[in-house]
Amino acid sequence: MTRVLAVDARAPLAASIEEAAGLLRAGELVAFATETVYGLGADATQADAVAKIFAAKGRPQSNPLIAHVSSVEMARAWAGAWPEVAEVLATAFWPGPLTVIVPRSDRVTAAVSAGLDTVGLRVPEPLVARAVIEALGRPVAAPSANRSEHVSPTTAQHVLDDLQGRLALVLDSGPTGVGIESTVIDVTGSVPCVLRRGPVSLAALRAVLGAVDIAEQHVDHGAPQASPGQGLRHYAPDVPCVRAEVSSYRGLPGDGVVSVGHAVAGAHALLEPEDAARELYAVLRQLESVGVERIVVLMPPETPQWAAVRDRLIRATVVAAP
Ligand code: AMP
Ligand code: MG
């Protein structure tokens, strides 16, 4: 059975934090909100606990997890090495939705990194998440708390819809604020390289680092990839989901239409990039649950402000037949 514990996002009870940390210490799975999406957490030093994450999600063993830490000091202590660039990024963006790939230390169990010699670290912003990690005193491996390849969860109910009975506890602190997964940047090479676009934009990264590469996005799933977040189909709803340009869309009866960046009559409109990121996954799950035959996403413009949302939309959809 999965227990759900409501917690005040700004003033959680010490007993609730201790209960979550105690379960993690005992090798159990606990879901909690980060600012991006809900995470399915396990003690990153316990191989058996980390194995439960892969089993609960049905996640391929080749897909590494992000290790969440409560402070920059904890990141430095648990990284195999801590490059200057990592320090610059941590200072500029932590706590926040940026995952930094650094060399892995042996103290983090190998399964977290899916056998790679690197590890993704991040300090999440919400007080509850940091308090739980702090109470455990060790990094918490936590991918999104959804079934593998389904839409990521932005509420505790989404977690239950996907994983009820497969984890010990969900800390329910309300909907997440950002709504899409963290930006992932690898700082182990000569030039920092963005592996997954996200809430921290390329422009923001370049403003503090100068040169930043971007890995080719949307490579084929199945092909070897530095970051599994690059897989083409990811985060997708359970009903057929297609994308189209506003100008070319021809509606079919049974379509559930989400219009992103444009107001379109009869469509669920997500007009601004930040609001769209926050609400997108809940809207997709909602359309799934009301039983539309097909979800149609009308795409936002190809501008930098929409880059992260476009990335997630492209992963969730296939191009509509003309
Ligand atoms: P999720 O938390 O479900 O969005 O998945 C974690 C994502 O973090 C993966 O899909 C990767 O994109 C990324 N990631 C975590 N660790 C690494 C790593 N060591 N190297 C490259 N990417 C990583
Ligand atoms: Mg995920």
Side-chain angles (χ1 to χ4, degrees), residues 174-265:
T176 59
V178 172
I180 58 171
E181 301 81 354
S182 60
T183 304
V184 178
I185 185 166
D186 184 347
V187 301
T188 62
S190 52
V191 178
C193 182
V194 169
L195 302 182
R196 178 172 74 182
R197 307 191 85 159
V200 176
S201 69
L202 268 183
L205 292 166
R206 286 183 174 142
V208 296
L209 295 181
V212 173
D213 281 346
I214 172 147
E216 196 194 333
Q217 305 290 294
H218 312 127
V219 296
D220 260 345
H221 229 33
Q225 46 190 274
S227 170
Q230 291 167 268
L232 182 51
R233 193 176 161 78
H234 211 67
Y235 322 118
D238 283 343
V239 293
C241 194
V242 301
R243 63 179 178 273
E245 299 306 322
V246 177
S247 54
S248 60
Y249 170 63
R250 302 277 169 277
L252 294 177
D255 279 354
V257 185
V258 189
S259 176
V260 186
H262 316 265
V264 170

Side-chain angles (χ1 to χ4, degrees), residues 36-297:
T36 61
V37 302
Y38 270 73
L40 180 63
D43 179 344
T45 68
Q46 296 186 45
D48 291 352
V50 171
K52 287 183 186 172
I53 291 179
F54 288 91
K57 285 179 58 89
R59 184 174 175 108
Q61 301 284 341
S62 58
N63 195 349
L65 311 176
I66 295 166
H68 293 73
V69 289
S70 55
S71 64
V72 187
E73 296 72 48
M74 193 170 174
R76 281 193 215 105
W78 287 84
W82 189 248
E84 179 58 28
V85 187
E87 185 66 26
V88 170
L89 289 171
T91 303
F93 298 109
W94 283 1
L98 180 71
T99 298
V100 182
I101 309 290
V102 294
R104 182 172 67 86
S105 111
D106 289 342
R107 298 169 74 199
V108 172
T109 201
V112 169
S113 298
L116 300 170
D117 54 8
T118 56
V119 65
L121 295 174
R122 127 171 149 87
V123 179
E125 193 276 325
L127 183 64
V128 171
R130 281 186 285 144
V132 169
I133 301 163
E134 187 73 33
L136 178 67
R138 299 194 281 261
V140 174
S144 52
N146 53 285
R147 279 182 289 108
S148 185
E149 301 210 346
H150 193 217
V151 180
S152 290
T154 55
T155 67
Q157 185 59 48
H158 295 162
V159 177
L160 293 175
D161 291 344
D162 274 26
L163 299 175
Q164 171 84 266
R166 294 171 177 235
L167 70 166
L169 178 70
V170 184
L171 289 179
D172 181 358
S173 55
T176 59
V178 172
I180 58 171
E181 301 81 354
S182 60
T183 304
V184 178
I185 185 166
D186 184 347
V187 301
T188 62
S190 52
V191 178
C193 182
V194 169
L195 302 182
R196 178 172 74 182
R197 307 191 85 159
V200 176
S201 69
L202 268 183
L205 292 166
R206 286 183 174 142
V208 296
L209 295 181
V212 173
D213 281 346
I214 172 147
E216 196 194 333
Q217 305 290 294
H218 312 127
V219 296
D220 260 345
H221 229 33
Q225 46 190 274
S227 170
Q230 291 167 268
L232 182 51
R233 193 176 161 78
H234 211 67
Y235 322 118
D238 283 343
V239 293
C241 194
V242 301
R243 63 179 178 273
E245 299 306 322
V246 177
S247 54
S248 60
Y249 170 63
R250 302 277 169 277
L252 294 177
D255 279 354
V257 185
V258 189
S259 176
V260 186
H262 316 265
V264 170
H268 189 114
L270 297 171
L271 294 180
E272 298 297 330
E274 283 184 10
D275 300 338
R278 188 171 55 248
E279 290 166 32
L280 177 64
Y281 292 151
V283 169
L284 293 176
R285 281 176 176 263
Q286 165 71 13
L287 288 172
E288 245 177 29
S289 71
V290 299
V292 299
E293 280 166 36
R294 182 173 85 144
I295 297 172
V296 179
V297 176

